Amino acid sequence: MAVSERAITVAHKLNGFLDKIGGRLTAWELDRAVIELDVAPLHLNGIGVVHGGIMATLIDTVGARAAVFCIVPGNVRQAVTVSLNVNLVGNIGKGLLVAEARVRKSGKTIFVSSCDVHDGEGNLLATGEVVGRYGRGSHPPEGISAPV
């Protein structure tokens, strides 16, 4: 069950750091998420290519988002990152970054997501894995009541 474009922009907009640097959640469904980012000068390192920290942020965020999609409107699923692995295999200095993650395994407390970051032409730039821990009661797809 996918979330509509309007639901993504209204109810599930990215917040925090990734939102501040221009990330957009463009697809989100059970066990899958996609985040896009248009490369800007603030994303570049000293040699003019995307900083590894930007790639790590994309992988961390998209990996967690894939694991916390909630099938019950108004409920939430909470999680924190336990371990983050990032492999930088290519880079760009301009264009589009597309980060996609799929949950490989999830249980009552832990999930594992695999992530890839491509450029707008589909070239692989980074791979990664996120191991996360669900908050109390957040492991079922139905989630829990949102905190007040």
Side-chain angles (χ1 to χ4, degrees):
M1 173 191 325
V3 171
S4 72
E5 182 82 21
R6 175 155 167 65
I8 287 174
T9 59
V10 174
H12 304 290
K13 183 180 177 193
L14 292 173
N15 57 7
F17 180 64
L18 196 54
D19 178 55
K20 297 293 184 227
I21 63 170
R24 299 178 307 279
L25 182 63
T26 58
W28 197 22
E29 59 194 28
L30 191 62
D31 295 337
R32 179 178 173 268
V34 178
I35 295 175
E36 295 182 359
L37 177 72
D38 294 310
V39 176
L42 73 103
H43 305 127
L44 305 180
N45 63 16
I47 61 170
V49 296
V50 173
H51 191 284
I54 297 296
M55 297 291 199
T57 297
L58 282 167
I59 289 169
D60 186 21
T61 305
V62 78
R65 281 293 176 130
V68 299
F69 180 83
C70 189
I71 64 172
V72 176
N75 279 6
V76 297
R77 295 173 79 193
Q78 300 171 329
V80 296
T81 300
V82 173
S83 176
L84 175 64
N85 179 36
V86 176
N87 305 293
L88 304 172
V89 298
N91 219 317
I92 59 174
K94 61 182 178 179
L96 177 68
L97 297 174
V98 181
E100 181 171 359
R102 293 190 180 274
V103 175
R104 295 180 56 204
K105 176 74 174 158
S106 64
K108 288 187 176 184
T109 56
I110 301 291
F111 65 85
V112 178
S113 295
S114 290
C115 313
D116 290 331
V117 180
H118 293 88
D119 65 15
E121 284 75 51
N123 299 304
L124 184 64
L125 303 176
T127 66
E129 185 175 82
V130 175
V131 177
R133 180 177 180 86
Y134 284 116
R136 187 168 306 218
S138 291
H139 64 282
E142 297 80 19
I144 58 174
S145 297
V148 179

